[in-house]
C-alpha cells in the first residue's frame, strides 16, 4: 500500500507501522460521515500538510502529566522499557499542543465530558461559514 501511495499518512509508531488508508476515508466521506482519526504528533503534522484547512486538529490529553503516567502504568499492558518510551514520547508530544486547533482534556472518570466537548467542536466546525464559495463543508482534497 505504501508503494502504491494508498495511505493518507503512515509512520512507524512504537515499533509497528500504522497508517490511514485513503480509500477508507473516501468511502466514509461519500456516505456523509464525519471522519475522526486517532494519530500521533507525526501523523497530525503529515495530515496538516496534506489536508490543510479542510481538517480540524484536536489534541486529546490527560488533565496532568502525573495522571497520564498513572493511566499508562495502570493499564499494565507494557514492559517497563516500553512504558518509559511511551511516557517520554507523551511528554515530548505535549510540546506540540499549540499546533492543534483545539485541546480536549480527558479527565479521569469523566470520559463523557470529553466526548461531549469533541461533539461540540465537530458541531461548531460544521456551523462555520465556508471560506471557499461552493465547496462542501467537510470535503478535504484526498487524492
Amino acid at each position: 500500500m505504501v508503494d502504491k501511495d494508498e495511505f493518507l499518512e503512515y509512520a512507524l509508531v512504537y515499533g509497528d507501522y500504522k497508517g490511514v488508508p485513503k480509500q477508507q476515508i473516501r468511502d466514509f466521506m461519500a456516505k456523509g460521515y464525519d471522519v475522526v482519526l486517532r494519530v500521533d504528533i507525526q501523523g497530525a503534522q503529515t495530515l496538516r500538510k496534506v489536508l490543510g484547512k479542510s481538517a480540524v486538529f484536536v489534541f486529546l490529553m490527560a488533565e496532568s502529566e502525573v495522571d497520564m503516567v498513572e493511566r499508562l502504568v495502570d493499564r499494565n499492558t507494557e514492559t517497563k522499557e516500553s512504558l518509559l518510551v511511551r511516557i517520554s514520547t507523551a511528554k515530548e508530544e505535549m510540546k506540540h499542543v499549540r499546533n492543534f486547533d483545539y485541546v480536549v482534556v480527558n479527565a479521569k472518570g469523566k470520559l463523557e465530558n470529553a466526548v461531549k466537548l469533541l461533539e461540540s467542536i465537530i458541531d461548531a466546525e460544521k456551523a462555520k461559514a465556508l471560506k471557499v464559495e461552493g465547496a462542501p463543508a467537510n470535503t478535504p482534497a484526498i487524492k
Side-chain angles (χ1 to χ4, degrees):
M1 289 178 78
V2 170
D3 292 339
K4 294 178 183 177
D5 192 34
E6 293 179 3
F7 285 112
L8 190 55
E9 73 87 23
Y10 71 94
L12 184 61
V13 180
Y14 302 118
D16 294 316
Y17 277 99
K18 309 280 183 181
V20 179
K22 290 179 183 178
Q23 191 58 51
Q24 222 175 21
I25 304 303
R26 285 186 198 111
D27 292 346
F28 281 108
M29 290 181 69
K31 294 176 183 175
Y33 290 116
D34 296 318
V35 178
V36 177
L37 303 174
R38 182 177 155 243
V39 297
D40 66 356
I41 296 296
Q42 183 181 349
Q45 289 171 337
T46 300
L47 290 172
R48 175 77 79 184
K49 289 176 189 169
V50 172
L51 302 174
K53 300 276 185 192
S54 67
V56 178
F57 293 85
V58 179
F59 192 97
L60 184 63
M61 60 184 279
E63 58 271 41
S64 71
E65 187 176 311
V66 171
D67 288 308
M68 175 206 54
V69 171
E70 284 178 3
R71 287 184 196 181
L72 288 173
V73 170
D74 288 347
R75 287 182 189 164
N76 200 27
T77 57
E78 303 180 49
T79 65
K80 285 183 182 181
E81 295 78 21
S82 64
L83 184 61
L84 290 173
V85 170
R86 293 283 305 260
I87 291 168
S88 174
T89 301
K91 286 181 181 181
E92 190 62 32
E93 288 179 340
M94 292 296 295
K95 296 176 184 176
H96 297 272
V97 70
R98 293 184 188 263
N99 297 331
F100 288 73
D101 302 311
Y102 297 92
V103 175
V104 171
V105 175
N106 181 16
K108 189 172 184 176
K110 301 197 179 200
L111 176 61
E112 198 171 298
N113 292 350
V115 171
K116 284 179 184 176
L117 183 52
L118 186 55
E119 289 173 337
S120 296
I121 291 168
I122 293 169
D123 289 342
E125 286 296 319
K126 286 179 180 179
K128 278 187 177 180
L130 293 177
K131 294 181 180 173
V132 179
E133 202 170 308
N138 62 348
T139 308
I142 301 173
K143 298 175 187 170

